[in-house]
Every structure is written in structure tokens, then in C-alpha cells.
Amino acid sequence: MTKSVNPFNLPRHKRLAEPLLKFGNADPETFGLHPLQGLLDNGPFGKLRLASVSNPIRIAFVGQQSMLGRLRHLVNELNSRHQPKERKNYLPEYPGFDRIFEVSIAKARDDAAIILPDALDSRVESSSAPHRVLAEALTGALSSLRSQRHDFDVVFMGVPAKWHQGFGGTDEDDFDLHDHLKAYSASAGMPLQIIRDDRALDYYCRCSVMWRLAIATYTKAGGVPWALANTRPKTAYVGIDYALRSSTDAPSRFAICCAQVFDSDGAGLDFIAYEAEDVSVFRRNPFMHKEQMLKVMARSLSIYQSCHAGDLPQRVVVFKNTEFRKPEIEGCLAAFRNVQDVELLQVQESHGWQGMLFSQPKSAERHPCHRGQILPLGDHEALLWTQGNIPEMAGNRGYFYKEGKGIPSPLLITRFAGRGDFFDVCEEALALTKMNWNNDGPYTRLPVTLEYADVLAQVIKRMPKLEAKPYPVRLFM
């Protein structure tokens, strides 16, 4: 057997190029890698769409008297310039909301503000169920705003850290204040931005806070900050996740399945939720029967068609964090029987794989891996590093976002159906990690289809009434 000249090179290992984004300029020469710099240079992708957001974006407020003053000041901050104090090799100067998005942001009319009583503090502190006290007070405030719904676009709600004992509930009632408020506001059709004083208001790097809050506010008002530049046309990307509603009677618990749909631009469309009362449970994970999966996928397909003049996609890529069992595969293929190409992908975060980067024998690189590295394990299975060093994002200097002190684990991607080039499929998964608009970083670990589906499922299971209709994603961000 001939000895390999480079034994440290793994067969078929390669690095995928960092995906490009497009912004408010249709010229391909303006496509870029950096989401924030792209916004500065070309404006948001949404400005190419007619009347995508109102101008100005009007902000309503909910909070105690002292908090309302801080929230109003926050709007003034969004209209001001800020220099970065952290992540300076990635985070550019924040020049002001209107300079970035080409629409302004303003306080709504005075009557679009709900003042919470100071006595709420003592009620929360003395209650044996503080989460219920907070839930009643804050949803009541949102209910009062509904009569002024035509006067505002987004609600800023101030939630101080002193109420921390009411942020969660007991194990029996499975309560989460954030998700509870999102479920209520989404049901009422009101985009909600929850603002913590110990996070957004007190954080030392105001530039970082402004970028994150500005992108979230623009998106919640109906805008699209950026989209993917290089995807196959007429492709629909779908992410599926599950949540279980709590119940004292375990057999009566049922799954909430959320399917998040993106188009080939990577621009978010809507999502649907499906209540499945007769799911199968295998290794503690819920799985749908063929008919259930067929219904979910058929509804997902209708979301895409409603936004594309009734046209079918030529290709559908479905992401799920658990395996596709045979009935689920059959349900997907039945729903997409008129679609030319269907890819079914499992994306796993937890597994036993990890890796280090060596450029030569016995000499590890300064950074343990590059983002975009891919190592096939077979014809339909590969390790994909969606975290890691991206020097091209920071002027060819090393840039290791978030996980700089650790060794990033790859995603394990397994294909259960499909016939396209597997490297191309993994490249699309990598691109979708740049599409979380509730974030000011260069990427997130998971494709946004799965990230949003998980968030949506957790919120949806707390909605008192789930209607069989598409929901705008922006209401749940």
C-alpha cells in the first residue's frame, strides 16, 4: 500500500465558501458577506419591495412610569450614532436608524402608552404565584393597547430584572413569561419587543444594542433586512419542529408541529402550526403519521404558492432535527408529488464528533476550525462546521464569533431523500445560518428554518387558541 504524502489531509474534506447576501441594490456586484456592512453600503433588501414598512415606524410603550422614560430615550438612541466598544473587528459604527433603513423611527402618540402601577412590584414580591400576577398585568396592558392599534407599528415593553421571580413558573404549569407574552401579542396581531433593563438598557456597548434592536424593530414592522444571494431559483426551504403541551394526563399531551417556510431568496414567508393528538413517540421524540405529515407539508406548500402567484416550487428542502421515519417520508413525498426535487435532511446538534484543524503534521492551527468546513462520512451524511473562524468577515484577520474560547462542534447532516449534489445541499444549510434577523452577528449555529421553527413551537404551544391559518413570523420574533 502506498503511504499518503499528506496523512493529515482527510479524503473529500473541503471548505465551503462563505455565503453571500443581497441588500437594497439589485446589482450583483453589491452582494456581500457582512450583514451589517451590507446594510450600511446598500440599505435593506426590503426597500426594493413596494411599501414594505410604514414611514415612520411608530413605537408604542408599556412599562412603569420610570421605565417609560427609559424606553422613550431608547428611541432617541436608535436615532443617534454609536461607536463599538466590543467585537471591533466585526461591529461597524451605528449611524442611526434612518441612515441604515431609509425609514425613520418615532414615538407613537401619547395615548399609545400604557403605564403599569408601581404597586405591581409589591404584588409580584408577595405573591405565591408571581408569574401569574405578571402575566395578568402585562397581557392586560397589551389588551388596552388594542384600541389604539392603528396608531403604532411595534410595541416596546419594559420588563425590569426586579420581577425575575415571575419570569418562570413551576414544573407543573410549564410557564415562560417571554413566550406567554409573545403568544398573546401574536394572537392580537401586535409585534412586541420585550426589553430588559439588565440587558438592553444597561448593556455597556450601546452600538451592539442599537444594531440588534434596530434590525429586530425593522423586521417586526414588516421589513426584510437582507436575503440570500446565491440559491437555486424556485426553491422552498421548510423547517419542522415539535413542542409538547403540558398536561397532568400524559396520554392527552399532543404535539404542536411548526413548519417555517422560506423562499429561494431566503426571505421569510410565513409558518403554520398543526395540532397532532395522535403522534408516535420514539426515543422520547414525537413523530407524525403519514397523513399528519402530508397535511403539514401541504399547508407549507400553500404558503409558498400564495406568495408566488400560485406557482409550485421546483424544489423543496425540508429540515428536521430528528430522523425522518418511513411514514413521515411517505407523507412528505405525497404532499410534494408535483415537485421535481425533494430533499429531506436531518440536522443534529448533539453527537460524538469534534475536530481540530491541522495545516501540517503535529501543528494545530491557532483557530480550531474554519466556518464552512465539511467532512463527508458517506454518500448521504456529513459533518458541517457552521461555527468557526471567518477571517474574510474581518479584513482577513482571525474572527471567531461567540465561541472563541471553545472548540465548535459540527452539525451532523443526514439525507433521507433527495438526489442533488450533497455538497450543494450542505452549502444551502450553511447559507441559512445567516438568515436570523433577530441577531446582529454574522451567523447562528443552525439554519434559520430550524431556529425559527423551534422558537415558534415553544410560543405556539402557549397560545390559548390555535387557528388553522398561516402566521407571520415577525409576530413571534
Side-chain angles (χ1 to χ4, degrees):
M1 180 180 293
T2 303
K3 185 177 180 180
S4 172
V5 177
N6 295 317
F8 51 93
N9 283 338
L10 296 172
R12 298 189 66 197
H13 167 266
K14 64 185 293 187
R15 184 187 177 196
L16 303 175
E18 183 63 27
L20 293 172
L21 302 173
K22 57 184 176 182
F23 303 90
N25 190 326
D27 185 354
E29 295 297 322
T30 64
F31 294 168
L33 301 174
H34 196 304
L36 307 187
Q37 193 60 51
L39 285 173
L40 290 177
D41 294 341
N42 298 289
F45 180 75
K47 78 176 186 179
L48 299 177
R49 301 183 174 188
L50 183 63
S52 61
V53 296
S54 63
N55 190 10
I57 297 173
R58 302 159 300 169
I59 307 299
F61 304 99
V62 174
Q64 293 177 309
Q65 186 68 60
S66 58
M67 178 64 78
L68 290 185
R70 300 192 72 183
L71 294 178
R72 291 188 174 105
H73 178 68
L74 194 61
V75 175
N76 294 335
E77 281 192 283
L78 283 165
N79 288 317
S80 305
R81 304 179 74 91
H82 299 273
Q83 295 291 334
K85 295 182 179 179
E86 64 178 21
R87 298 180 291 155
K88 292 183 180 180
N89 56 348
Y90 169 76
L91 196 64
E93 176 189 6
Y94 176 85
F97 194 92
D98 58 348
R99 162 68 179 80
I100 299 169
F101 298 106
E102 302 182 27
V103 296
S104 60
I105 185 172
K107 307 175 189 73
R109 292 170 41 180
D110 290 343
D111 56 355
I114 304 299
I115 302 175
L116 299 172
D118 290 338
L120 183 57
D121 294 351
S122 59
R123 290 177 55 204
V124 170
E125 186 175 354
S126 61
S127 175
S128 60
H131 59 295
R132 295 300 174 194
V133 173
L134 275 182
E136 181 181 0
L138 298 182
T139 55
L142 290 173
S143 179
S144 298
L145 268 182
R146 296 181 73 169
S147 60
Q148 282 85 40
R149 182 64 187 91
H150 60 284
D151 291 328
F152 66 88
D153 303 295
V154 179
V155 180
F156 280 11
M157 174 181 282
V159 178
K162 61 186 177 183
W163 293 343
H164 65 90
Q165 63 264 47
F167 291 171
T170 63
D171 293 337
E172 289 75 21
D173 57 13
D174 188 26
F175 179 87
D176 180 276
L177 182 65
H178 175 277
D179 292 350
H180 181 85
L181 294 173
K182 289 289 185 177
Y184 183 89
S185 62
S187 298
M190 294 190 295
L192 174 65
Q193 178 68 46
I194 299 172
I195 296 174
R196 294 269 299 272
D197 59 351
D198 57 336
R199 295 179 181 177
L201 295 179
D202 294 338
Y203 193 68
Y204 78 101
C205 182
R206 305 311 296 163
C207 181
S208 177
V209 172
M210 293 306 112
W211 270 115
R212 183 181 292 267
L213 184 59
I215 294 170
T217 301
Y218 177 76
T219 303
K220 291 176 182 185
V224 178
W226 57 81
L228 295 177
N230 298 320
T231 55
R232 289 177 57 178
K234 296 186 177 182
T235 297
Y237 300 100
V238 181
I240 301 177
D241 208 341
Y242 305 93
L244 292 176
R245 277 187 171 163
S246 60
S247 172
T248 54
D249 182 12
S252 69
R253 300 175 75 189
F254 57 91
I256 303 296
C257 169
C258 282
Q260 160 70 41
V261 186
F262 275 68
D263 64 14
S264 56
D265 285 328
L269 301 176
D270 290 330
F271 77 96
I272 57 98
Y274 177 77
E275 294 182 341
E277 297 187 4
D278 185 27
V279 298
S280 300
V281 177
F282 183 68
R283 291 200 294 263
R284 298 184 180 181
N285 292 315
F287 292 91
M288 286 186 285
H289 303 303
K290 175 181 176 179
E291 293 75 16
Q292 293 169 334
M293 182 63 84
L294 190 155
K295 288 181 180 179
V296 172
M297 291 296 96
R299 291 178 183 176
S300 301
L301 192 61
S302 68
I303 290 177
Y304 179 93
Q305 290 181 281
S306 67
C307 296
H308 293 83
D311 289 343
L312 284 170
Q314 293 180 355
R315 183 168 171 268
V316 176
V317 183
V318 183
F319 297 90
K320 196 158 78 82
N321 55 22
T322 55
E323 65 186 280
F324 284 85
R325 306 200 77 193
K326 184 178 179 181
E328 294 180 316
I329 296 173
E330 292 174 345
C332 287
L333 297 180
F336 302 136
R337 60 186 178 275
N338 294 321
V339 176
Q340 296 178 15
D341 186 9
V342 179
E343 301 277 352
L344 304 181
L345 305 175
Q346 179 189 8
V347 179
Q348 293 177 258
E349 291 186 271
S350 299
H351 47 74
W353 291 92
Q354 211 165 30
M356 293 284 292
L357 181 63
F358 287 77
S359 59
Q360 55 186 343
K362 300 181 181 180
S363 179
E365 289 285 310
R366 177 171 174 263
H367 297 292
C369 65
H370 288 298
R371 170 171 150 85
Q373 285 180 202
I374 182 170
L375 176 61
L377 303 178
D379 291 338
H380 302 286
E381 192 173 38
L383 300 175
L384 173 64
W385 276 261
T386 58
Q387 299 169 297
N389 187 24
I390 40 174
E392 59 268 50
M393 193 76 75
N396 291 320
R397 293 171 293 170
Y399 182 69
F400 209 14
Y401 172 62
K402 281 189 177 180
E403 62 283 336
K405 295 183 179 180
I407 299 176
S409 295
L411 300 179
L412 176 57
I413 299 182
T414 305
R415 177 160 64 179
F416 285 81
R419 59 188 180 187
D421 185 285
F422 196 43
F423 279 108
D424 290 345
V425 173
C426 292
E427 194 168 29
E428 289 175 303
L430 182 70
L432 287 167
T433 65
K434 299 183 76 167
M435 291 305 299
N436 188 334
W437 299 317
N438 204 18
N439 172 57
D440 72 336
Y443 59 80
T444 53
R445 187 182 185 196
L446 287 172
V448 70
T449 42
L450 285 178
E451 284 212 330
Y452 280 2
D454 174 56
V455 171
L456 296 168
Q458 297 306 315
V459 174
I460 281 287
K461 75 175 184 177
R462 294 178 168 92
M463 291 181 70
K465 182 180 180 182
L466 185 59
E467 300 181 24
K469 66 176 185 180
Y471 289 88
V473 174
R474 63 189 180 90
L475 293 177
F476 295 83
M477 292 177 59

